[in-house]
């Protein structure tokens, strides 16, 4: 567990014992938010791997376009777009129904999100709306059945990603259980 000082390396560590991954055919390894493939993880706080997948896709595209230099790498590191957030937004908007049927405030947010491309710049109102909506959906879905204290403790656990949790809730809402109840109470968000 890389975040714990109890596991700090003391003295020299043999090269073979250091975390590593074979470069493979691509010639690069992406170290972002996912464990290295085929190795032991050096950190226990891994997230979904979405950022690593985005960096990998950008590196592959850059490699096909030509030589990769420092300016190309700087552009990749500065990328702030989520490749999957627009699909999540679309799923929530589809579940909410026609935009014109929503209350005025919800219509404003829905229209803002409908045009959002997943880029999270500091001054991007779509990104801000997405994070507010994500928090509101999870709060409306979890606060009542779990209680606020248990919900907060659950969401603070390692390995619990808000977006991944939302994905599971949307899946459950799209395929409701036999009783017809949904785990995603969109009516409480309006």
């Amino acid at each position: 567990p890389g975040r714990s000082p109890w596991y700090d390396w003391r003295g020299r560590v043999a090269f073979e014992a250091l975390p590593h991954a074979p470069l493979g055919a691509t010639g690069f390894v992406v170290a972002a938010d996912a464990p290295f493939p085929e190795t032991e993880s050096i950190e226990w706080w891994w997230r979904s791997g979405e950022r690593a997948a985005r960096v990998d896709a950008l590196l592959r595209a850059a490699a096909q376009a030509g030589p990769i230099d420092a300016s190309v790498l700087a552009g990749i590191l500065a990328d702030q777009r989520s490749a999957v957030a627009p699909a999540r937004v679309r799923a929530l908007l589809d579940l909410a129904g026609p935009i014109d049927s929503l209350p005025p405030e919800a219509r404003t947010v829905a229209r803002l999100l409908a045009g959002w491309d997943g880029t999270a710049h500091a001054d991007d109102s779509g990104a801000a709306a997405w994070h507010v909506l994500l928090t509101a959906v999870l709060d409306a879905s979890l606060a009542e059945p779990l209680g606020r204290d248990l919900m907060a403790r659950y969401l603070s656990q390692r390995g619990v990603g808000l977006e991944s949790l939302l994905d599971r809730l949307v899946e459950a809402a799209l395929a409701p259980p036999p009783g017809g109840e949904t785990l995603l109470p969109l009516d409480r968000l309006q």
Side-chain angles (χ1 to χ4, degrees):
R3 293 178 189 246
S4 172
W6 297 335
Y7 294 93
D8 285 353
W9 289 331
R10 290 170 181 82
R12 293 184 175 264
V13 177
F15 178 79
E16 298 76 27
L18 293 172
H20 65 283
L23 290 180
T26 62
F28 59 81
V29 172
V30 174
D33 65 345
F36 288 105
E38 303 174 17
T39 66
E40 289 186 32
S41 298
I42 59 172
E43 175 62 88
W44 52 265
W45 198 272
W46 298 112
R47 295 185 308 260
S48 65
E50 290 173 18
R51 179 66 183 158
R54 174 79 175 150
V55 170
D56 184 74
L58 292 172
L59 278 171
R60 288 174 188 272
Q64 287 181 346
I68 298 176
D69 60 16
S71 65
V72 171
L73 292 174
I76 290 171
L77 289 175
D79 174 72
Q80 297 178 22
R81 184 173 184 281
S82 168
V84 295
R88 289 180 174 126
V89 166
R90 181 80 259 144
L92 285 175
L93 292 177
D94 288 348
L95 285 168
I99 290 177
D100 292 335
S101 69
L102 299 172
E105 296 85 4
R107 266 197 312 267
T108 301
V109 172
R111 287 188 180 117
L112 183 65
L113 287 170
W116 182 54
D117 71 350
T119 303
H121 294 292
D123 60 349
D124 190 297
S125 54
W130 164 242
H131 287 284
V132 168
L133 178 63
L134 174 62
T135 303
V137 167
L138 293 177
D139 186 61
S141 302
L142 301 176
E144 186 177 311
L146 297 180
R148 295 226 173 260
D149 183 54
L150 182 57
M151 179 185 79
R153 287 188 296 156
Y154 173 71
L155 293 176
S156 70
Q157 295 296 305
R158 65 180 171 158
V160 176
L162 300 183
E163 290 89 354
S164 298
L165 181 56
L166 176 70
D167 291 345
R168 301 299 78 77
L169 290 170
V170 168
E171 286 173 13
L174 293 173
E181 297 175 15
T182 179
L183 296 176
L184 195 58
L186 292 172
D187 57 322
R188 285 190 268 175
L189 294 174
Q190 298 179 358

